C-alpha cells in the first residue's frame, strides 16, 4: 500500500479518497473547505493544514480540482512541485485545458517528477462505487506506476497518449455528454407535453435507437430513476457550471485546431442560458428545466 496525498475533496474527490482508504492506503488530505477535510479525517485520513504539508513524504500525490486556474495555482503559482519528493508520482485528475496539463507536466518533468493527467468519467455514482473511467495522458512508465492506485478508484483505464492527451479525450467525451443530455431532455419534455409518461417514454428510448447514457443511468426527469440527481432536487452530481466549463474547453480546443463543433457550441449556449437563470450549482441534468419552464 502507498502513502498518498489527496488534494481536492469535492463531490468527486471525496468519494475517490474514501475508496483509497478502504483499499488500505495511508491517506493525507487537504481541501480549502474544512468540513470536507473533517469528513475524510473521520474516515481515517490524516488532515493536513496546507497542500504543502499534505504532500510532504507522500509516494503518490493526487489532485482533483475544479478548473485549469486552480491546478496552475496549486502546482505553479504556489510552487507545490518543490514540496513533492522527486521519487513521487503525481496524478492530476481534474478536467482542465490540455495546454494547462502540458504546462504543469513540463514543470514537473523539469523537477524530475513523474506526472500523468488522468481526468475521470462516471460521475459521482462511479466515484462512490469505485467504477470510474480514467483517461490518461503521460508516459507509459508513469501510468504503470499509477495502475495499482487507479484500480482502487476505477474499473476502466485508458492511455490516450502523451501529456495533455487525457484532457483532450475527456473534453471530447464531455462535449458529447452535454449534447446527449440536452437532446434527451428535449425529447422527454416533448413526450410529456403530448401526454406520455416520462418513465414509459424513457423505457422505450432505452430499448430503441435513441438509447444513451442519460436514459439508461442518469435520467434527467424527476422520479424516473430513484438515485439520479433529478430525483433529489438536482443536488450533488456534476454541476451545470462545470459542464459549461468543459464545453468552453471544447470550444477553445476547436478554435485552436480549426475544428467545427456546431452541436457543441449549441449545447454550450443552452447550458449558459440555464446557468444565468440561477441553476449553475444544480446537476447538469437540470437542463431539462429549460424545456419545461421550471427554472
Amino acid at each position: 500500500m502507498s502513502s498518498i496525498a489527496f488534494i481536492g475533496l469535492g463531490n468527486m474527490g471525496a468519494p475517490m479518497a474514501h475508496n483509497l482508504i478502504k483499499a488500505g492506503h495511508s491517506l493525507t488530505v487537504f481541501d480549502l473547505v474544512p468540513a470536507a477535510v473533517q469528513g475524510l479525517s473521520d474516515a481515517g485520513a490524516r488532515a493536513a493544514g496546507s497542500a504543502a504539508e499534505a504532500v510532504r513524504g507522500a509516494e503518490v500525490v493526487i489532485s482533483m480540482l475544479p478548473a485549469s486556474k486552480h491546478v496552475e495555482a496549486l502546482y505553479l503559482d504556489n510552487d507545490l512541485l518543490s514540496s513533492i519528493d522527486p521519487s513521487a508520482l503525481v496524478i492530476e485528475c481534474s478536467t482542465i485545458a490540455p495546454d494547462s496539463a502540458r504546462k504543469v507536466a513540463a514543470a514537473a518533468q523539469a523537477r524530475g517528477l513523474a506526472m500523468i493527467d488522468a481526468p475521470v468519467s462516471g460521475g459521482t455514482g462511479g466515484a462512490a462505487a469505485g467504477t470510474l473511467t480514467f483517461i490518461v495522458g503521460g508516459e507509459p512508465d508513469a501510468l504503470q506506476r499509477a495502475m495499482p492506485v487507479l484500480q482502487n478508484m476505477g474499473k476502466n483505464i485508458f492511455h490516450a497518449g502523451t501529456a495533455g492527451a487525457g484532457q483532450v479525450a475527456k473534453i471530447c467525451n464531455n462535449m458529447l455528454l452535454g449534447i446527449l443530455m440536452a437532446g434527451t431532455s428535449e425529447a422527454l419534455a416533448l413526450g410529456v407535453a403530448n401526454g406520455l409518461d416520462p418513465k414509459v417514454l424513457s423505457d422505450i428510448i432505452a430499448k430503441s435507437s435513441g438509447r444513451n447514457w442519460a436514459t439508461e443511468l442518469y435520467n434527467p426527469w424527476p422520479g424516473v430513476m430513484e438515485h439520479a440527481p433529478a430525483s433529489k432536487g438536482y443536488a450533488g452530481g456534476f454541476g451545470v457550471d462545470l459542464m459549461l466549463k468543459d464545453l468552453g474547453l471544447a470550444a477553445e480546443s476547436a478554435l485552436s485546431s480549426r475544428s467545427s463543433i456546431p452541436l457543441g457550441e449549441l449545447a454550450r449556449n443552452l447550458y449558459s442560458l440555464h446557468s444565468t437563470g440561477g441553476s449553475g450549482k444544480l446537476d447538469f441534468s437540470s437542463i431539462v428545466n429549460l424545456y419545461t419552464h421550471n427554472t
Side-chain angles (χ1 to χ4, degrees):
M1 295 297 104
S2 301
S3 171
I4 300 174
F6 203 112
I7 301 168
L9 305 170
N11 289 336
M12 293 294 291
M16 290 166 66
H18 274 289
N19 283 329
L20 292 174
I21 293 173
K22 291 176 185 177
H25 296 287
S26 175
L27 220 66
T28 301
V29 298
F30 175 72
D31 192 280
L32 293 176
V33 179
V37 176
Q38 186 62 52
L40 267 296
S41 180
D42 291 343
R46 185 178 75 86
S50 66
E53 180 187 339
V55 304
R56 201 166 295 132
E59 298 171 286
V60 179
V61 175
I62 301 174
S63 52
M64 173 59 94
L65 303 174
S68 300
K69 63 180 181 180
H70 304 104
V71 174
E72 291 194 27
L74 176 69
Y75 288 106
L76 304 181
D77 298 346
N78 295 329
D79 196 23
L80 185 67
L81 295 174
S82 65
S83 298
I84 300 173
D85 190 287
S87 65
L89 170 67
V90 183
I91 304 175
E92 214 302 293
C93 292
S94 317
T95 297
I96 60 176
D99 283 346
S100 287
R102 296 184 189 107
K103 183 178 180 181
V104 175
Q109 184 179 26
R111 291 186 176 273
L113 287 165
M115 183 175 194
I116 60 173
D117 50 285
V120 304
S121 180
T124 53
T131 58
L132 291 171
T133 293
F134 286 90
I135 309 165
V136 178
E139 295 302 316
D141 288 349
L143 173 56
Q144 285 305 309
R145 287 178 60 189
M147 286 293 283
V149 174
L150 298 180
Q151 288 170 340
N152 291 145
M153 299 182 289
K155 280 193 172 181
N156 303 297
I157 301 167
F158 295 97
H159 187 206
T162 57
Q167 301 296 344
V168 174
K170 175 64 188 297
I171 288 168
C172 292
N173 178 79
N174 274 25
M175 181 183 74
L176 180 57
L177 175 61
I179 294 167
L180 288 173
M181 185 59 78
T184 297
S185 297
E186 187 172 304
L188 290 176
L190 175 63
V192 171
N194 282 277
L196 295 184
D197 182 301
K199 175 68 166 63
V200 172
L201 179 55
S202 295
D203 289 344
I204 291 169
I205 293 173
K207 299 299 181 182
S208 303
S209 55
R211 64 185 298 189
N212 63 76
W213 186 82
T215 54
E216 293 183 38
L217 299 173
Y218 212 89
N219 198 287
W221 203 275
V224 173
M225 289 182 176
E226 179 183 356
H227 299 294
S231 297
K232 302 175 183 178
Y234 299 103
F238 183 62
V240 169
D241 285 346
L242 289 177
M243 173 55 78
L244 186 55
K245 177 208 74 173
D246 289 356
L247 290 169
L249 292 175
E252 291 173 11
S253 294
L255 185 63
S256 65
S257 62
R258 297 186 178 182
S259 302
S260 178
I261 54 165
L263 291 179
E265 288 285 15
L266 177 57
R268 183 187 182 195
N269 289 337
L270 289 171
Y271 279 98
S272 178
L273 178 63
H274 187 41
S275 177
T276 56
S279 299
K281 302 303 180 184
L282 298 179
D283 182 76
F284 82 109
S285 61
S286 64
I287 190 75
V288 72
N289 289 333
L290 272 184
Y291 304 99
T292 61
H293 310 293
N294 290 329
T295 52

